[in-house]
Amino acid sequence: MIRFVTQAAAALVALSAWCLALDRAAAQSDYPRRPITVIVPFAAGGPTDVVARIVGDHMSRTLGQQLLVENIVGAAGTTASTRAARAAPDGYTIEMGHMGTHAAAVALYQNLAYKPDVDFAPISMVAGTPVLILGKKGLPPRDLKELVVYVKANVDKLNMAHAGVGSVSHVTCLLLNSIINVKPTSVPFTGTGPAMNALVAGQVDYMCDQIVNVVSQVQGGTIKAYAIGTAERNPNWAVICRARKGAGQRPSPRWSRARSRAGRRSSTPPVP
């Protein structure tokens, strides 16, 4: 059974420089003297939550202080980002932001309560994960080409699940929909964890989600995977075509970055 161990390992490798910087900072100062809060802008069980918990466990052992994950849902992650932006700039609140909360949201929300480039200090790139195009188990198409034909013919009857306007799952499926020129009914959830539960239950028809959140479901046959957004064929997913082959373009990889409140004190870890 294929697991997402390689993705988790990649996240830890990407984080190693950050942890080294944290360790050095801790050796040179009294930071951290208490637990650190890691804000996750989506519900528990989704890919951002999974990555944050892997990172948090590793950092807790490195720093000798707990990293407490706090899931704050709402408005495609912008509620959590607003909370993080208003936190004290003391290095004890970190957000696991990503391309949705700190890139797409700027374009999609006219009155965004924070400015990603002003209110946050980037700490490190943590993970980059490919996105898959997924369908419920009972969806008739057998591959991506059939899916495109089916969605075009039945768009008025189909529901697309996502984690909120501006989330990665929303933006990547918008890209897919724009490529094939369809506008299905959009069904937002508080995270891709709840959205995935709805897909498995057959309550929605298709969605786009990151690989860390879908392996067991695809392997178990509870959902269908039609394409993976990678430049090269993944040997573990050889039966799934690359999205570029079937639809002309491929979804962008999703990235996660750890960020703290801008203006944090000098004794907190530097950006590597």
Side-chain angles (χ1 to χ4, degrees):
M1 179 177 183
I2 301 170
R3 302 176 185 274
F4 61 84
V5 171
T6 52
Q7 283 73 32
L12 292 179
V13 169
L15 190 67
S16 60
W18 179 23
C19 289
L20 180 59
L22 287 167
D23 196 34
R24 288 175 177 171
Q28 297 170 5
S29 70
D30 59 353
Y31 178 89
R33 292 179 293 175
R34 53 186 171 87
I36 299 169
T37 297
V38 180
I39 293 177
V40 172
F42 296 100
T48 306
D49 180 70
V50 170
V51 169
R53 291 179 189 279
I54 292 172
V55 170
D57 179 68
H58 188 76
M59 287 181 60
S60 292
R61 287 184 275 113
T62 299
L63 295 175
Q65 285 284 359
Q66 278 189 301
L67 270 79
L68 306 176
V69 173
E70 182 179 358
N71 298 88
I72 301 176
V73 303
T78 60
T79 299
S81 294
T82 299
R83 164 84 172 272
R86 293 172 179 172
D90 56 7
Y92 287 96
T93 300
I94 296 172
E95 183 189 12
M96 188 61 70
H98 62 40
M99 60 180 285
T101 56
H102 286 70
V106 178
L108 294 174
Y109 289 89
Q110 292 184 351
N111 298 312
L112 198 62
Y114 59 91
K115 295 181 179 180
D117 59 335
V118 174
D119 296 324
F120 292 88
I123 299 174
S124 178
M125 179 73 79
V126 175
T129 55
V131 176
L132 281 79
I133 300 170
L134 307 160
K136 65 181 182 181
K137 182 179 180 179
L139 207 62
R142 295 168 296 179
D143 56 34
L144 181 60
K145 290 183 179 180
E146 289 187 6
L147 177 67
V148 170
V149 173
Y150 181 82
V151 171
K152 285 184 174 181
N154 298 276
V155 64
D156 293 337
K157 306 174 184 177
L158 298 179
N159 297 318
M160 179 197 81
H162 59 85
V165 175
S167 63
V168 173
S169 55
H170 178 244
V171 172
T172 50
C173 259
L174 282 185
L175 173 60
L176 170 67
N177 294 339
S178 68
I179 292 170
I180 63 179
N181 194 28
V182 297
K183 292 183 178 180
T185 300
S186 177
V187 183
F189 290 84
T190 57
T192 50
M196 178 57 63
N197 291 338
L199 187 69
V200 171
Q203 297 168 349
V204 293
D205 298 295
Y206 73 98
M207 65 181 290
C208 299
D209 199 7
Q210 301 152 51
I211 195 169
V212 297
N213 203 34
V214 307
V215 175
S216 61
Q217 291 87 348
V218 173
Q219 293 276 307
T222 58
I223 60 173
K224 291 183 175 181
Y226 289 102
I228 184 170
T230 56
E232 303 297 332
R233 183 176 292 277
N234 187 318
N236 291 331
W237 298 82
V239 296
I240 304 174
C241 73
R242 288 175 292 135
R244 180 169 13 191
K245 289 184 64 178
Q249 299 182 39
R250 61 186 173 89
S252 302
R254 174 265 200 194
W255 49 258
S256 292
R257 287 182 179 175
R259 298 170 182 269
S260 69
R261 178 72 171 87
R264 66 186 186 277
R265 61 180 188 176
S266 60
S267 60
T268 55
V271 177

